[in-house]
Amino acid sequence: MRYQRSSALFAEARQYIPGGVNSPVRAFKAVGGTPVFVKEAKGAYFFDEDGNRYIDYIASWGPLILGHAYAPVIDAITEKAQKGTSFGMPTTIETQLAKLAVAMVPNIDKIRFVNSGTEACMSAVRLARGFSGKEKIIKFAGCYHGHADAFLIQAGSGAVTFGSPNSPGVTQGTAKDTLLAAYNDLDSVSTLAKANKGEIAAVIIEPVAGNMGCIPPAEGFLEGLRALCDREGILLIFDEVMTGFRLGQGGAQEVLGIKADILCFGKVIGGGLPVGAFAARDEIMKHLAPEGPVYQAGTLSGNPLAMSAGLAMLGELHRYPEVFQRLAEKTEYLHKGMQKVLDARGIAYQINRFGSMISLHFTEGPVVDFHSAAKGNNASFKKYFHGMLDRGIYLPPSAFESYFLNDALSYEDLDQTVAALEETLKEWK
Ligand SMILES: *Cc1c(COP(=O)(O)O)cnc(C)c1O
């Protein structure tokens, strides 16, 4: 049996860990079946505990943009570990990573490191509130900004997969300060801004949405949002946890040519170790403790191992900026291959793509927001997911997630993926 050991390991994990996992989407609830337990990984592939090999399209949900066990990152961590793993005191490597990030990302003067994307977004909103003296925020249905209370209001990804967009445990008091707009719908934002005039601290958005599948911003949408924020004195927060250091050196801001006021990072910036960060111009950042009154802290923030992984990763991306274009080309190649196979079968589908982010939706109409993403046929998605999995192609186990291509993927891997799709679809009537 292909997943025998994984099944046994999952059963054991479930005895000690809620649902057997430490982050819900890993449990395969949306697609059914047994999650595969990873044994090891290298480059574009990982191997499960049963010895099956997979071509990996999630790359740890984005961080491993250069592939698994990337030598410069592994070397940096290994060397650092010999010298002590945590101090709770300043080290030079924090400044080095901050300096490099500030050089790569447009429009920021200072950056504060935290331990996850969740922490980054949570702290960014606190900073926006502290800076502006206002309390409400606007978020978009289907956008995910981590699992802090203020964001679990129609969040994408796992939260949507589980059909509990408003998690129990989030208080009414918190929920009333989070206003919900529709992605790619500027009117929905204007309406909220009008009804809550002078009360909105910030709008937080994924500049290219990746937690309801991949949904690029419509022409003029972000420009309109920027103008609206300027008009109303609202801070614009770009949550670039997914897009930062993935769409380009300077992330979505650079690629789309739009300036945000506060930026959130995670995933790639940690090179596969737990790192998040938030950044802004000095005028805003100086409100943060210890310089200013907005409190934010962390025992393991700026941890030397995490910083060394991040520094090695960003260093590579800075030295070899052609990687972003190369990844986008691979993603386009995959898109075209999948398109050809799907068209030949006459299946209703939609493929969305931006840079190295791509997603396939089993629906007729365009997927431009949470509402249209939710129209996807989940029964088809399940069949597709498992058909691919059985052929050694690991896709995100939820229709509400983007795939993340990594640079270790070869054109041969992409061809194999398209061939697996063709085989999978043959089984459909
Ligand atoms: C992954 C993600 C987060 C949360 O990051 P964690 O490190 O999982 O806490 C926040 N925002 C976006 C856009 C993400 O993709």
PDB file of all heavy atoms in Angstrom, residues 244-267:
ATOM      1  N   GLY A 244       6.350  38.790  -1.022  1.00  0.00           N
ATOM      2  CA  GLY A 244       7.645  39.414  -0.737  1.00  0.00           C
ATOM      3  C   GLY A 244       8.792  38.474  -1.075  1.00  0.00           C
ATOM      4  O   GLY A 244       8.779  37.317  -0.669  1.00  0.00           O
ATOM      5  N   PHE A 245       9.765  38.949  -1.814  1.00  0.00           N
ATOM      6  CA  PHE A 245      10.940  38.175  -2.228  1.00  0.00           C
ATOM      7  C   PHE A 245      10.545  36.959  -3.070  1.00  0.00           C
ATOM      8  O   PHE A 245      11.320  36.028  -3.224  1.00  0.00           O
ATOM      9  CB  PHE A 245      11.782  37.751  -1.012  1.00  0.00           C
ATOM     10  CG  PHE A 245      12.116  38.910  -0.115  1.00  0.00           C
ATOM     11  CD1 PHE A 245      11.411  39.114   1.069  1.00  0.00           C
ATOM     12  CD2 PHE A 245      13.094  39.819  -0.476  1.00  0.00           C
ATOM     13  CE1 PHE A 245      11.695  40.215   1.886  1.00  0.00           C
ATOM     14  CE2 PHE A 245      13.381  40.912   0.335  1.00  0.00           C
ATOM     15  CZ  PHE A 245      12.681  41.112   1.512  1.00  0.00           C
ATOM     16  N   ARG A 246       9.307  36.949  -3.599  1.00  0.00           N
ATOM     17  CA  ARG A 246       8.867  35.896  -4.511  1.00  0.00           C
ATOM     18  C   ARG A 246       8.517  36.476  -5.878  1.00  0.00           C
ATOM     19  O   ARG A 246       8.917  35.948  -6.905  1.00  0.00           O
ATOM     20  CB  ARG A 246       7.663  35.120  -3.950  1.00  0.00           C
ATOM     21  CG  ARG A 246       7.015  34.185  -4.991  1.00  0.00           C
ATOM     22  CD  ARG A 246       6.111  33.141  -4.404  1.00  0.00           C
ATOM     23  NE  ARG A 246       6.847  32.117  -3.670  1.00  0.00           N
ATOM     24  CZ  ARG A 246       7.433  31.052  -4.236  1.00  0.00           C
ATOM     25  NH1 ARG A 246       7.367  30.874  -5.552  1.00  0.00           N
ATOM     26  NH2 ARG A 246       8.084  30.183  -3.498  1.00  0.00           N
ATOM     27  N   LEU A 247       7.777  37.567  -5.907  1.00  0.00           N
ATOM     28  CA  LEU A 247       7.401  38.126  -7.207  1.00  0.00           C
ATOM     29  C   LEU A 247       8.562  38.905  -7.819  1.00  0.00           C
ATOM     30  O   LEU A 247       8.632  39.108  -9.026  1.00  0.00           O
ATOM     31  CB  LEU A 247       6.183  39.040  -7.050  1.00  0.00           C
ATOM     32  CG  LEU A 247       4.918  38.344  -6.552  1.00  0.00           C
ATOM     33  CD1 LEU A 247       3.744  39.308  -6.559  1.00  0.00           C
ATOM     34  CD2 LEU A 247       4.590  37.110  -7.408  1.00  0.00           C
ATOM     35  N   GLY A 248       9.460  39.336  -6.971  1.00  0.00           N
ATOM     36  CA  GLY A 248      10.634  40.089  -7.413  1.00  0.00           C
ATOM     37  C   GLY A 248      11.401  40.480  -6.167  1.00  0.00           C
ATOM     38  O   GLY A 248      10.904  40.284  -5.054  1.00  0.00           O
ATOM     39  N   GLN A 249      12.577  41.030  -6.352  1.00  0.00           N
ATOM     40  CA  GLN A 249      13.390  41.450  -5.203  1.00  0.00           C
ATOM     41  C   GLN A 249      12.625  42.355  -4.264  1.00  0.00           C
ATOM     42  O   GLN A 249      12.722  42.250  -3.056  1.00  0.00           O
ATOM     43  CB  GLN A 249      14.592  42.258  -5.705  1.00  0.00           C
ATOM     44  CG  GLN A 249      15.611  41.460  -6.366  1.00  0.00           C
ATOM     45  CD  GLN A 249      16.980  42.067  -6.065  1.00  0.00           C
ATOM     46  OE1 GLN A 249      17.309  42.356  -4.923  1.00  0.00           O
ATOM     47  NE2 GLN A 249      17.761  42.263  -7.092  1.00  0.00           N
ATOM     48  N   GLY A 250      11.874  43.284  -4.874  1.00  0.00           N
ATOM     49  CA  GLY A 250      11.131  44.260  -4.085  1.00  0.00           C
ATOM     50  C   GLY A 250       9.681  43.874  -3.883  1.00  0.00           C
ATOM     51  O   GLY A 250       8.859  44.714  -3.500  1.00  0.00           O
ATOM     52  N   GLY A 251       9.350  42.632  -4.196  1.00  0.00           N
ATOM     53  CA  GLY A 251       7.992  42.138  -3.969  1.00  0.00           C
ATOM     54  C   GLY A 251       6.953  42.792  -4.860  1.00  0.00           C
ATOM     55  O   GLY A 251       7.259  43.358  -5.909  1.00  0.00           O
ATOM     56  N   ALA A 252       5.706  42.747  -4.409  1.00  0.00           N
ATOM     57  CA  ALA A 252       4.582  43.250  -5.204  1.00  0.00           C
ATOM     58  C   ALA A 252       4.672  44.761  -5.402  1.00  0.00           C
ATOM     59  O   ALA A 252       4.318  45.274  -6.465  1.00  0.00           O
ATOM     60  CB  ALA A 252       3.262  42.890  -4.533  1.00  0.00           C
ATOM     61  N   GLN A 253       5.153  45.471  -4.395  1.00  0.00           N
ATOM     62  CA  GLN A 253       5.300  46.928  -4.536  1.00  0.00           C
ATOM     63  C   GLN A 253       6.083  47.273  -5.789  1.00  0.00           C
ATOM     64  O   GLN A 253       5.701  48.140  -6.568  1.00  0.00           O
ATOM     65  CB  GLN A 253       6.089  47.484  -3.350  1.00  0.00           C
ATOM     66  CG  GLN A 253       5.301  47.829  -2.132  1.00  0.00           C
ATOM     67  CD  GLN A 253       6.150  48.731  -1.247  1.00  0.00           C
ATOM     68  OE1 GLN A 253       5.791  49.866  -0.998  1.00  0.00           O
ATOM     69  NE2 GLN A 253       7.280  48.237  -0.805  1.00  0.00           N
ATOM     70  N   GLU A 254       7.200  46.572  -5.961  1.00  0.00           N
ATOM     71  CA  GLU A 254       8.080  46.847  -7.100  1.00  0.00           C
ATOM     72  C   GLU A 254       7.448  46.389  -8.412  1.00  0.00           C
ATOM     73  O   GLU A 254       7.405  47.128  -9.392  1.00  0.00           O
ATOM     74  CB  GLU A 254       9.410  46.125  -6.874  1.00  0.00           C
ATOM     75  CG  GLU A 254      10.406  46.231  -7.997  1.00  0.00           C
ATOM     76  CD  GLU A 254      11.591  45.306  -7.731  1.00  0.00           C
ATOM     77  OE1 GLU A 254      11.530  44.123  -8.123  1.00  0.00           O
ATOM     78  OE2 GLU A 254      12.556  45.771  -7.111  1.00  0.00           O
ATOM     79  N   VAL A 255       6.930  45.175  -8.414  1.00  0.00           N
ATOM     80  CA  VAL A 255       6.389  44.597  -9.644  1.00  0.00           C
ATOM     81  C   VAL A 255       5.147  45.357 -10.115  1.00  0.00           C
ATOM     82  O   VAL A 255       4.933  45.567 -11.304  1.00  0.00           O
ATOM     83  CB  VAL A 255       6.056  43.098  -9.424  1.00  0.00           C
ATOM     84  CG1 VAL A 255       5.349  42.505 -10.616  1.00  0.00           C
ATOM     85  CG2 VAL A 255       7.333  42.319  -9.129  1.00  0.00           C
ATOM     86  N   LEU A 256       4.315  45.790  -9.167  1.00  0.00           N
ATOM     87  CA  LEU A 256       3.071  46.463  -9.532  1.00  0.00           C
ATOM     88  C   LEU A 256       3.218  47.983  -9.541  1.00  0.00           C
ATOM     89  O   LEU A 256       2.316  48.703  -9.972  1.00  0.00           O
ATOM     90  CB  LEU A 256       1.953  46.060  -8.571  1.00  0.00           C
ATOM     91  CG  LEU A 256       1.628  44.566  -8.527  1.00  0.00           C
ATOM     92  CD1 LEU A 256       0.729  44.245  -7.340  1.00  0.00           C
ATOM     93  CD2 LEU A 256       0.981  44.108  -9.822  1.00  0.00           C
ATOM     94  N   GLY A 257       4.353  48.462  -9.027  1.00  0.00           N
ATOM     95  CA  GLY A 257       4.592  49.912  -9.027  1.00  0.00           C
ATOM     96  C   GLY A 257       3.663  50.678  -8.101  1.00  0.00           C
ATOM     97  O   GLY A 257       3.206  51.770  -8.421  1.00  0.00           O
ATOM     98  N   ILE A 258       3.361  50.107  -6.942  1.00  0.00           N
ATOM     99  CA  ILE A 258       2.487  50.784  -5.979  1.00  0.00           C
ATOM    100  C   ILE A 258       3.189  50.853  -4.630  1.00  0.00           C
ATOM    101  O   ILE A 258       3.801  49.872  -4.203  1.00  0.00           O
ATOM    102  CB  ILE A 258       1.176  50.006  -5.801  1.00  0.00           C
ATOM    103  CG1 ILE A 258       0.590  49.769  -7.171  1.00  0.00           C
ATOM    104  CG2 ILE A 258       0.222  50.717  -4.830  1.00  0.00           C
ATOM    105  CD1 ILE A 258      -0.830  49.976  -7.336  1.00  0.00           C
ATOM    106  N   LYS A 259       3.075  51.983  -3.969  1.00  0.00           N
ATOM    107  CA  LYS A 259       3.705  52.127  -2.662  1.00  0.00           C
ATOM    108  C   LYS A 259       2.710  51.843  -1.549  1.00  0.00           C
ATOM    109  O   LYS A 259       1.623  52.416  -1.538  1.00  0.00           O
ATOM    110  CB  LYS A 259       4.216  53.558  -2.491  1.00  0.00           C
ATOM    111  CG  LYS A 259       5.429  53.885  -3.322  1.00  0.00           C
ATOM    112  CD  LYS A 259       5.847  55.315  -3.054  1.00  0.00           C
ATOM    113  CE  LYS A 259       7.138  55.641  -3.803  1.00  0.00           C
ATOM    114  NZ  LYS A 259       7.520  57.050  -3.612  1.00  0.00           N
ATOM    115  N   ALA A 260       3.136  51.009  -0.614  1.00  0.00           N
ATOM    116  CA  ALA A 260       2.310  50.791   0.576  1.00  0.00           C
ATOM    117  C   ALA A 260       2.950  51.542   1.737  1.00  0.00           C
ATOM    118  O   ALA A 260       4.101  51.955   1.655  1.00  0.00           O
ATOM    119  CB  ALA A 260       2.221  49.313   0.883  1.00  0.00           C
ATOM    120  N   ASP A 261       2.195  51.725   2.820  1.00  0.00           N
ATOM    121  CA  ASP A 261       2.737  52.427   3.987  1.00  0.00           C
ATOM    122  C   ASP A 261       3.439  51.482   4.944  1.00  0.00           C
ATOM    123  O   ASP A 261       4.447  51.828   5.535  1.00  0.00           O
ATOM    124  CB  ASP A 261       1.611  53.164   4.716  1.00  0.00           C
ATOM    125  CG  ASP A 261       0.987  54.223   3.828  1.00  0.00           C
ATOM    126  OD1 ASP A 261       1.725  55.103   3.358  1.00  0.00           O
ATOM    127  OD2 ASP A 261      -0.233  54.146   3.566  1.00  0.00           O
ATOM    128  N   ILE A 262       2.857  50.296   5.132  1.00  0.00           N
ATOM    129  CA  ILE A 262       3.476  49.296   6.004  1.00  0.00           C
ATOM    130  C   ILE A 262       3.503  47.975   5.232  1.00  0.00           C
ATOM    131  O   ILE A 262       2.557  47.641   4.518  1.00  0.00           O
ATOM    132  CB  ILE A 262       2.693  49.118   7.325  1.00  0.00           C
ATOM    133  CG1 ILE A 262       2.524  50.473   8.041  1.00  0.00           C
ATOM    134  CG2 ILE A 262       3.389  48.115   8.245  1.00  0.00           C
ATOM    135  CD1 ILE A 262       1.759  50.402   9.361  1.00  0.00           C
ATOM    136  N   LEU A 263       4.609  47.245   5.363  1.00  0.00           N
ATOM    137  CA  LEU A 263       4.779  45.969   4.666  1.00  0.00           C
ATOM    138  C   LEU A 263       4.910  44.842   5.672  1.00  0.00           C
ATOM    139  O   LEU A 263       5.548  45.029   6.704  1.00  0.00           O
ATOM    140  CB  LEU A 263       6.068  45.989   3.829  1.00  0.00           C
ATOM    141  CG  LEU A 263       6.125  46.709   2.494  1.00  0.00           C
ATOM    142  CD1 LEU A 263       5.072  46.175   1.552  1.00  0.00           C
ATOM    143  CD2 LEU A 263       6.007  48.206   2.625  1.00  0.00           C
ATOM    144  N   CYS A 264       4.315  43.704   5.352  1.00  0.00           N
ATOM    145  CA  CYS A 264       4.481  42.523   6.200  1.00  0.00           C
ATOM    146  C   CYS A 264       5.209  41.447   5.400  1.00  0.00           C
ATOM    147  O   CYS A 264       4.911  41.239   4.223  1.00  0.00           O
ATOM    148  CB  CYS A 264       3.137  41.954   6.626  1.00  0.00           C
ATOM    149  SG  CYS A 264       2.088  43.140   7.442  1.00  0.00           S
ATOM    150  N   PHE A 265       6.140  40.765   6.065  1.00  0.00           N
ATOM    151  CA  PHE A 265       6.879  39.693   5.412  1.00  0.00           C
ATOM    152  C   PHE A 265       6.846  38.428   6.246  1.00  0.00           C
ATOM    153  O   PHE A 265       6.553  38.452   7.437  1.00  0.00           O
ATOM    154  CB  PHE A 265       8.338  40.117   5.179  1.00  0.00           C
ATOM    155  CG  PHE A 265       8.470  41.301   4.276  1.00  0.00           C
ATOM    156  CD1 PHE A 265       8.727  42.565   4.785  1.00  0.00           C
ATOM    157  CD2 PHE A 265       8.295  41.148   2.907  1.00  0.00           C
ATOM    158  CE1 PHE A 265       8.823  43.668   3.950  1.00  0.00           C
ATOM    159  CE2 PHE A 265       8.390  42.247   2.056  1.00  0.00           C
ATOM    160  CZ  PHE A 265       8.658  43.502   2.576  1.00  0.00           C
ATOM    161  N   GLY A 266       7.186  37.329   5.582  1.00  0.00           N
ATOM    162  CA  GLY A 266       7.270  36.024   6.227  1.00  0.00           C
ATOM    163  C   GLY A 266       7.787  35.074   5.162  1.00  0.00           C
ATOM    164  O   GLY A 266       8.355  35.507   4.161  1.00  0.00           O
ATOM    165  N   LYS A 267       7.593  33.796   5.333  1.00  0.00           N
ATOM    166  CA  LYS A 267       7.934  32.816   4.310  1.00  0.00           C
ATOM    167  C   LYS A 267       9.355  32.995   3.749  1.00  0.00           C
ATOM    168  O   LYS A 267      10.305  32.707   4.448  1.00  0.00           O
ATOM    169  CB  LYS A 267       6.838  32.800   3.250  1.00  0.00           C
ATOM    170  CG  LYS A 267       5.489  32.463   3.923  1.00  0.00           C
ATOM    171  CD  LYS A 267       4.373  32.020   3.042  1.00  0.00           C
ATOM    172  CE  LYS A 267       3.265  31.418   3.896  1.00  0.00           C
ATOM    173  NZ  LYS A 267       2.024  32.169   3.957  1.00  0.00           N
TER     174      LYS A 267
END
